[in-house]
Amino acid sequence: MRSDVMKKGIEKAPHRSLFKALGFIDREMDLPMIGVVNSHNEIVPGHIHLNDIAAAVKSGVRLAGGVPCEFPTIAVCDGIAMNHTGMKYSLASRELIADSIEVMAEAHPFDGLVLITSCDKVVPGMLMAAARLNIPAVVISGGPMLAGRYKGEDISLSNLFEAVGKVYAGSMTEEELHEVEEEACPGCGSCAGMFTANSMNCITEALGMALPGNGTVPAVSAARRRLAKLTGIRAVEMVREGLRPSDIMTADAFRNALSVDMALGCSTNTVLHLPAIADEAGIELSLDEVNLVSERTPNLCRLSPIGPFFVQDLDEAGGIRAVMAELALKSLINLDARTAGGLTVGENIKGCTVSRREVIRSVEDPYSPGGGIAILRGNLAPDGAVVKKAAVAPEMLQHKGPARVFDSEDEAVQAITSGKIKKGDVIVIRYEGPKGGPGMREMLTPTATVAGMGLDKEVALLTDGRFSGATRGASIGHISPEAAEGGPVALIRDGDIIDIDIPNNSLNIVLSAEETAARLKEWKPPAARVKKGYLARYARQVTSAGTGAIIRKE
């Protein structure tokens, strides 16, 4: 066993003594040692209950004859970090999470890992660590939050952000806003819609790195605790079988994950995270591959923020296995891919059916023949941009309009809330990319405010930053190269005409090559916004959104 290097032999007597200081007995020295990575904290709703999940995982490890050793990692709440400096740290935390797990698992060589996660950057950070370490590992999320209820309707956090826009538009009172605030988030779990956290947890299941149910079983349910116990058991079995992440996270598995992503209509942030995870696994996953999968994969689900259903509804409808079974009918899933549960995908989904057709449509009757996400290219985004096309109103799929340019999210929000944005405008928010932000802030406030003001069918938003998984509307992010690197988005001026053509995957500025060259000659790189600390180091090392915003290799 891998852990024997710190437990076995005469020279390891001091080490064993330290284990005995922890309460270990000699018998435990002969058993598989499982690192239980717990991202619990008391500031993130998706993580507040993870000690409960960890207790179940550790019970499972012990039931299977292993020894659990729990250690922590960090987690940022994107909702709480939204629209202030804190959001600069969210994406950047992904690398810290991966690095911290690597440090702990190499300094104390565990035989296997259980990765307990829930929210946005924590899921990919843990998967990156699993791929990098390549020791037996399995993921268990804390599960989705239940939807709130307001005036007989299911709601979630995205409704609250849009409600702020309604207050600015005069269609909702501050008293009503407070009522929605009281009801939108009824308890623990990752926010109830198909936002980034739940997108990544569903994709982790589709990737094969978690047991069936990981993406959809509600946080508050006993079924989630049972799943955690089974995950702990499975971690020990994986050690004995020698089943590693490299056996699971193959090119076919990533294509399966992308297919499920497109069928569900997941967050655009998945296009940042999947390439970064694949990179750690030694697999190239390009934006062109994302588009190829999107073009052939029907969109089967319309979950909040783009539809009336929530992740709890998806669970009732059959969950991720039912979605994969439906896609398999069109040979859009590789059935031979292996999973952490020990079965192939085909064995996992055998006999799975859809129990709520209004939640998961048939492949013969999809919402659209193509997937929920599209990659756009053109003279404004030579290295790509991303849009959740399933969330775009039909009348905005093709749009030409004058640019309204802002060099930060804060400037854009001030203009939106003060009524300075007109119908037909294209809001451009730049210098918010991985390097320029730094940290590539997730911007739900401007998109939700536009939607709440009733302008989401008339106004587009573009950024070299990124939008929330809770965003809907013609919101195009990840424009690469970013403005801070001299990308074309840095050259846009107020009034320039922006040409958006989502069906044809194009994003252009109506500008001559001569004028573009002249503006580029005048452009000067901006001064760094952050000059010390972790973000300053991150800005120096991070690559573009088009490559997953990964840290440059030496």
Side-chain angles (χ1 to χ4, degrees), residues 128-149:
M128 289 165 67
R132 186 186 304 172
L133 291 162
N134 199 30
I135 62 175
V138 59
V139 176
I140 173 70
S141 80
M145 185 185 293
L146 294 177
R149 294 283 292 176

Side-chain angles (χ1 to χ4, degrees), residues 195-368:
F195 314 144
T196 308
N198 288 327
S199 294
M200 285 308 305
N201 286 321
C202 289
I203 285 174
T204 300
E205 183 180 334
L207 189 61
M209 284 296 293
L211 300 186
N214 178 74
T216 60
V217 173
V220 295
S221 68
R224 175 61 56 177
R225 277 78 186 154
R226 295 195 297 271
L227 184 61
K229 195 172 291 185
L230 291 170
T231 300
I233 292 171
R234 188 62 199 142
V236 179
E237 293 173 346
M238 290 172 72
V239 170
R240 291 177 176 146
E241 294 165 7
L243 183 61
R244 298 172 180 268
S246 58
D247 300 317
I248 299 168
M249 287 195 279
T250 62
D252 285 334
F254 279 100
R255 281 189 282 271
N256 282 349
L258 279 175
S259 293
V260 171
D261 185 337
M262 300 308 162
L264 292 175
C266 288
S267 164
T268 51
N269 282 314
T270 61
V271 179
L272 276 178
H273 298 322
L274 280 172
I277 299 162
D279 181 71
E280 293 286 357
I283 295 168
E284 183 180 356
L285 187 63
S286 70
L287 295 184
D288 291 331
E289 178 78 7
V290 174
N291 251 355
L292 285 172
V293 175
S294 180
E295 287 169 6
R296 67 173 182 250
T297 308
N299 178 227
L300 307 180
C301 302
R302 290 289 167 94
L303 303 162
S304 175
I306 62 175
F309 303 112
F310 294 82
V311 180
Q312 67 199 61
D313 297 304
L314 179 61
D315 189 60
E316 290 178 6
I320 301 308
R321 284 192 294 176
V323 173
M324 296 182 81
E326 193 66 31
L327 292 173
L329 296 175
K330 289 285 189 179
S331 300
L332 296 169
I333 293 292
N334 185 299
L335 301 178
D336 296 324
R338 300 177 72 181
T339 72
L343 302 176
T344 65
V345 168
E347 290 168 335
N348 251 355
I349 66 175
K350 187 177 181 179
C352 290
T353 58
V354 176
S355 57
R356 289 182 61 185
R357 270 293 173 205
E358 74 276 21
V359 178
I360 304 173
R361 283 197 176 185
S362 162
V363 286
E364 303 296 341
D365 181 33
Y367 284 101
S368 64

Side-chain angles (χ1 to χ4, degrees), residues 357-545:
R357 270 293 173 205
E358 74 276 21
V359 178
I360 304 173
R361 283 197 176 185
S362 162
V363 286
E364 303 296 341
D365 181 33
Y367 284 101
S368 64
I373 289 176
I375 305 300
L376 312 183
R377 294 186 188 272
N379 66 8
L380 187 50
D383 294 341
V386 62
V387 63
K388 185 190 280 193
K389 67 179 181 182
V392 181
E395 51 266 54
M396 289 298 291
L397 288 170
Q398 293 175 306
H399 178 77
K400 280 187 179 182
R404 297 295 310 279
V405 184
F406 305 95
D407 287 346
S408 71
E409 176 190 9
D410 312 271
E411 292 178 15
V413 170
Q414 197 280 328
I416 294 166
T417 56
S418 60
K420 295 179 180 177
I421 301 301
K422 308 301 181 188
K423 294 179 179 180
D425 283 349
V426 178
I427 301 168
V428 178
I429 307 174
R430 63 190 180 191
Y431 296 106
E432 289 286 6
K435 180 183 292 294
M440 202 178 186
R441 281 196 287 188
E442 188 173 273
M443 291 180 280
L444 178 55
T445 296
T447 59
T449 304
V450 164
M453 296 173 75
L455 294 173
D456 57 301
K457 296 181 180 179
E458 295 157 323
V459 170
L461 296 96
L462 310 183
T463 185
D464 57 1
R466 62 196 178 92
F467 294 118
S468 168
T471 288
R472 62 186 176 92
S475 301
I476 300 168
H478 307 191
I479 293 176
S480 298
E482 62 175 290
E485 292 187 325
V489 68
L491 311 179
I492 304 174
R493 296 176 181 172
D494 272 354
D496 287 345
I497 300 301
I498 306 298
D499 184 1
I500 300 166
D501 189 347
I502 295 172
N504 291 301
N505 300 96
S506 72
L507 179 63
N508 292 285
I509 178 172
V510 181
L511 203 64
S512 69
E514 293 77 14
E515 177 62 19
T516 299
R519 290 186 189 182
L520 183 60
K521 191 173 182 179
E522 294 175 6
W523 178 81
K524 293 180 180 180
R529 286 174 170 170
V530 179
K531 296 180 173 60
K532 62 180 181 180
Y534 174 60
L535 277 183
R537 298 198 305 275
Y538 180 82
R540 290 193 296 269
Q541 297 176 307
V542 71
T543 64
S544 75

Side-chain angles (χ1 to χ4, degrees), residues 85-128:
T85 299
M87 181 47 79
K88 294 177 182 287
Y89 288 86
S90 177
L91 179 60
S93 74
R94 186 185 72 182
E95 317 307 316
L96 285 177
I97 291 161
D99 290 350
S100 68
I101 295 169
E102 177 196 352
V103 166
M104 289 296 289
E106 293 288 20
H108 318 95
F110 300 109
D111 299 301
L113 295 173
V114 177
L115 305 164
I116 305 174
T117 180
S118 194
C119 291
D120 196 342
K121 310 313 167 302
V122 192
V123 185
M126 289 191 174
L127 287 170
M128 289 165 67

